[in-house]
Each structure stands twice: as C-alpha cells, then as structure tokens.
C-alpha cells in the first residue's frame, strides 16, 4: 500500500430514491501512484464525480474505504477532514469557481490566506508564468477567456502545494483548442511541482493526454489502463 498515494477498497455509494437505489459507485478498487497523472473516463452518470468527491473527502461512502497517504479517511473526525481537504488536495471544477471581484493574483492566493499561511510571492509568480497568466495578475476573472479562467483555477489549486490535484471535467466548458492547452499546462505544472493528478473527463482525446486512463461504467471500474513507463 505504501506505493500508492490514493487507494480505494470496495468503495460503494448508494443513493435511496423512494423505492429505488441508485448505485453511483458499486465496489471500486482503484489505486494511484505518487506523481502519476490519471484520467478517469466514463459517460455522464457513470459515477466519476462521486468517486472524486469520496477521494477528496467531500462526501462519505456507503461502504468501503479511501486511503490517502496511508491514512484512512473514515478514521478522521470533521476537523481532521477539513484540514485534509485544505492541505492535501486541490480541487479544480468545470465551473472555475473564481471570486469575481478579486483579481487573478488575489484569487490564486486566497486559499493560502484563509489557511493562515505565509504567501510565497516568488512561488506564486512562478506558477502564474508557467500557466501563462502572469500578464493577467491584476485582471478580474470576468475579463478573461474560459481557458484563462481555468488556468487561474489551476494556479489556485497548485499554489497551496497540495500533494494531490483532483480535477472534475476541467475542460468541460472549453473549446477543443483551449481544452488541450489547459490540459497541457496542468500536466506541466503537476510535473514541475511533483503533484499527483486525478482528472475526470468524458472526452477520449483529453484522457489520452494522461499517463494512464481508467474506464468507469455504472459505478464500476471496467478497465484500469496500463501505466506507460517514462511518460
Ligand atoms: N446526491 C445524489 N442523489 C441521488 N443520486 C445521485 C446523487 N449524486 C449523484 N447521483 C447519481 O449517481 C450517479 C452517478 O453520478 P455522478 O457521479 O455525478 O456521475 P458523473 O460524474 O460520471 O456524470 C448518477 O446516476 C447520478 O444521478
Ligand atoms: Mg460529473
């Protein structure tokens, strides 16, 4: 287990809807190595977001376990989970979730400030440069394109130095070209800062850019792709 930074064991999430039970996750055994860039691909409703939420400690499973960095999430109390979410994982969503009246720089450093930590301005500059938004540091999100806004959201996730980035359809609102740009820059940033990325998508072209592709169908992993050496 020590080899894996994220591991799920028999993970299930069932929702009761009146007489019916929706099996959003139905026994997922899934593992990710440190610094790996994994894409989870599946159709709408296959359980992708549910799986990502469980890994990020945003929701609790019906059965099974999630281990991150060797720690069982179900052993953590509320406060420990909150600290885990703040320090260990960075989230990137399809909707960029930027604060509209803060500029790019302020958005990027906001989680660090909220966590009461010192801001490493040089590090933040480096991230903005890497994501090619350093020229936009003073701009408000509303003045940026979708691709630029998503790069700000990625910069914000990276800047807090979490070990793991969880990205839920980050290219879902972008055209093909900006989607590929964003994906490429996310890869570069993750490699540069030694972060593990789990990204979900329903787009095969986007998934192909990852180190490994895992297929999910009806809440089950149907194909856990090989890891490509040296990629
Ligand atoms: N809060 C919820 N209550 C009831 N059903 C849900 C809830 N969240 C997700 N589901 C159902 O679980 C299944 C998986 O959803 P989700 O993980 O969002 O899929 P994906 O992200 O792959 O589109 C779907 O059938 C969805 O309708
Ligand atoms: Mg989803």
């Amino acid at each position: 287990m020590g080899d894996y930074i994220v591991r799920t064991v028999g993970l299930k999430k069932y929702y009761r809807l009146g007489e019916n039970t929706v099996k959003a996750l139905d026994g997922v055994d899934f593992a990710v190595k440190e610094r790996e860039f994994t894409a989870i691909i599946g159709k709408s409703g296959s359980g992708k977001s549910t799986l990502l939420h469980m890994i990020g400690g945003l929701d609790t499973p019906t059965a099974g376990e999630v281990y991150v960095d060797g720690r069982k999430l179900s052993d953590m109390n509320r406060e420990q989970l909150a600290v885990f979410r703040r320090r260990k994982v960075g989230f990137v969503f399809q909707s960029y979730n930027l604060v509209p009246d803060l500029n790019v720089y302020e958005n990027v450093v906001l989680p660090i400030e909220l966590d009461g930590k010192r801001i490493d301005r040089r590090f933040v500059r480096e991230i903005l440069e890497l994501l090619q938004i350093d020229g936009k540091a003073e701009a408000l999100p509303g003045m940026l394109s979708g691709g630029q806004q998503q790069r700000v959201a990625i910069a914000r996730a990276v800047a807090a130095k979490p070990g793991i980035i969880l990205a839920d359809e980050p290219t879902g609102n972008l055209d093909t070209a900006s989607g590929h740009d964003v994906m490429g820059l996310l890869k570069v940033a993750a490699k540069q800062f030694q972060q593990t990325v789990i990204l979900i998508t329903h787009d095969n072209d986007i998934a192909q850019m990852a180190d490994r592709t895992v297929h999910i169908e009806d809440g089950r992993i149907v194909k856990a792709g090989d890891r490509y050496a040296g990629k």
Side-chain angles (χ1 to χ4, degrees):
M1 183 192 304
D3 282 355
Y4 297 110
I5 185 161
V6 172
R7 193 162 86 109
T8 73
V9 179
L11 199 65
K12 295 183 180 173
K13 182 67 175 183
Y14 291 178
Y15 293 107
R16 294 299 305 253
L17 291 176
E19 302 269 280
N20 297 321
T21 302
V22 177
K23 297 181 173 179
L25 296 178
D26 198 16
V28 171
D29 298 294
F30 170 70
V32 170
K33 286 186 180 166
E34 203 161 5
R35 300 187 198 179
E36 200 165 51
F37 194 124
T38 302
I40 300 176
I41 187 165
K43 289 185 200 148
S44 175
S46 57
K48 303 183 299 295
S49 294
T50 305
L51 176 57
L52 211 70
H53 293 164
M54 301 290 149
I55 292 171
L58 291 175
D59 204 351
T60 50
T62 307
E65 296 291 348
V66 177
Y67 299 86
V68 178
D69 250 347
R71 286 185 71 194
K72 213 190 229 185
L73 297 198
S74 64
D75 283 346
M76 296 186 194
N77 62 30
R78 263 167 170 279
E79 201 175 315
Q80 290 168 325
L81 258 184
V83 171
F84 162 80
R85 281 196 300 263
R86 226 165 35 229
R87 306 245 163 102
K88 286 276 175 187
V89 290
F91 291 94
V92 180
F93 297 101
Q94 180 172 345
S95 52
Y96 323 115
N97 294 359
L98 301 174
V99 182
D101 50 6
L102 294 184
N103 71 30
V104 164
Y105 182 86
E106 292 162 344
N107 265 283
V108 169
V109 300
L110 185 62
I112 307 171
E113 284 181 334
L114 292 177
D115 198 20
K117 290 200 290 195
R118 201 183 65 82
I119 292 159
D120 182 345
R121 288 179 161 269
R122 272 184 57 187
F123 180 60
V124 175
R125 279 282 152 205
E126 189 188 342
I127 294 166
L128 294 181
E129 273 170 35
L130 201 70
L131 290 164
Q132 299 170 14
I133 42 173
D134 47 312
K136 300 286 180 190
E138 257 118 67
L140 293 175
M143 300 165 67
L144 306 179
S145 70
Q148 288 169 331
Q149 289 186 61
Q150 191 60 297
R151 282 185 267 148
V152 176
I154 291 170
R156 179 180 56 188
V158 171
K161 301 183 184 171
I164 303 163
I165 306 254
L166 302 173
D168 191 342
E169 309 251 8
T171 61
N173 285 340
L174 305 176
D175 60 64
T176 307
S178 7
H180 280 80
D181 285 349
V182 162
M183 186 71 184
L185 290 169
L186 173 57
K187 265 180 83 169
V188 168
K191 298 288 176 214
Q192 174 84 10
F193 305 119
Q194 286 131 44
Q195 286 157 328
T196 305
V197 180
I198 303 174
L199 172 141
I200 66 187
T201 183
H202 58 262
D203 182 329
N204 209 43
D205 287 345
I206 290 291
Q208 293 308 316
M209 295 175 75
D211 295 335
R212 182 170 74 118
T213 308
V214 173
H215 296 253
I216 184 168
E217 246 176 63
D218 298 330
R220 289 167 170 271
I221 304 282
V222 291
K223 199 166 91 190
D226 295 332
R227 297 184 168 86
Y228 309 113
K231 197 174 162 184

